[in-house]
């Protein structure tokens, strides 16, 4: 995303975006990626009704208290822009103990853990893509 900039995001019919969580337990700039520099600009954009889905990658065992926290920060930036957020998933089956990315009993996107739950990734992604299509993500 750092190669295109925030303004280019408005050119797409829908977006599936993702990031790691590098800055664990941080209140902001959690991903440690170009997203951190774009979140304020995204909040000020008009993405009214554009479907957006967020995924994150993290380690649910070593960073159990901060698992995929960056999902929440990216999600909230797009929500502030008026986008239609899709792709919330149940936290059941994950090994984490806490995540800022859980709200009202669901992850605000798809968390993936290639360190400890790699055997579940393929099915999680397959199910999530089907869910996104059903929720109106253009594919």
């Amino acid at each position: 995303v750092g190669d295109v900039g925030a303004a280019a995001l408005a050119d797409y019919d829908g977006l599936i975006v993702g990031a790691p969580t590098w800055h664990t337990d941080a209140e902001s700039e959690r991903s440690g990626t170009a997203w951190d520099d774009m979140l304020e600009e995204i909040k000020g954009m008009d993405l009214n009704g554009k479907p957006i889905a967020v995924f994150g990658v993290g380690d649910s065992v070593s960073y159990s208290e901060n698992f995929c926290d960056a999902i929440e920060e990216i999600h909230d930036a797009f929500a502030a822009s008026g986008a239609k957020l899709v792709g919330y998933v149940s936290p059941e089956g994950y090994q984490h103990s806490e995540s800022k990315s859980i709200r009202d009993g669901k992850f605000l996107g798809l968390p993936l853990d290639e360190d400890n739950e790699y055997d579940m990734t393929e099915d999680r992604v397959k199910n999530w893509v089907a869910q996104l299509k059903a929720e109106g993500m253009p594919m």
Side-chain angles (χ1 to χ4, degrees):
V1 71
D3 293 338
V4 297
L9 301 176
D11 296 337
Y12 297 93
D13 294 333
L15 294 166
I16 300 172
V17 300
T21 299
W22 281 108
H23 302 141
T24 57
D25 204 28
E27 289 304 315
S28 65
E29 300 178 354
R30 293 181 200 137
S31 77
T33 69
W35 283 116
D36 296 341
D37 299 327
M38 299 171 62
L39 296 177
E40 287 304 315
E41 186 176 352
I42 290 168
K43 290 176 187 179
M45 295 175 69
D46 180 8
L47 299 176
N48 191 29
K50 185 180 296 287
I52 309 284
V54 184
F55 69 91
V57 292
D59 181 335
S60 65
V61 176
S62 298
Y63 298 96
S64 181
E65 305 85 29
N66 311 103
F67 181 54
C68 289
D69 280 355
I71 291 174
E72 183 248 1
E73 190 173 21
I74 295 169
H75 169 279
D76 288 355
F78 279 105
S81 75
K84 174 187 172 192
L85 278 299
V86 297
Y88 298 2
V89 300
S90 170
E92 289 183 36
Y94 289 91
Q95 300 179 59
H96 74 291
S97 61
E98 278 189 54
S99 177
K100 290 180 173 103
S101 296
I102 295 178
R103 192 174 295 153
D104 297 326
K106 294 210 173 199
F107 276 109
L108 300 173
L110 177 66
L112 298 169
D113 179 351
E114 283 296 293
D115 293 320
N116 305 290
E117 300 174 351
Y118 57 87
D119 56 330
M120 300 172 154
T121 297
E122 187 174 341
D123 285 340
R124 285 176 173 164
V125 170
K126 185 185 300 182
N127 292 335
W128 193 58
V129 169
Q131 176 185 340
L132 296 180
K133 288 179 182 177
E135 293 179 2
M137 178 65 71
M139 291 190 196

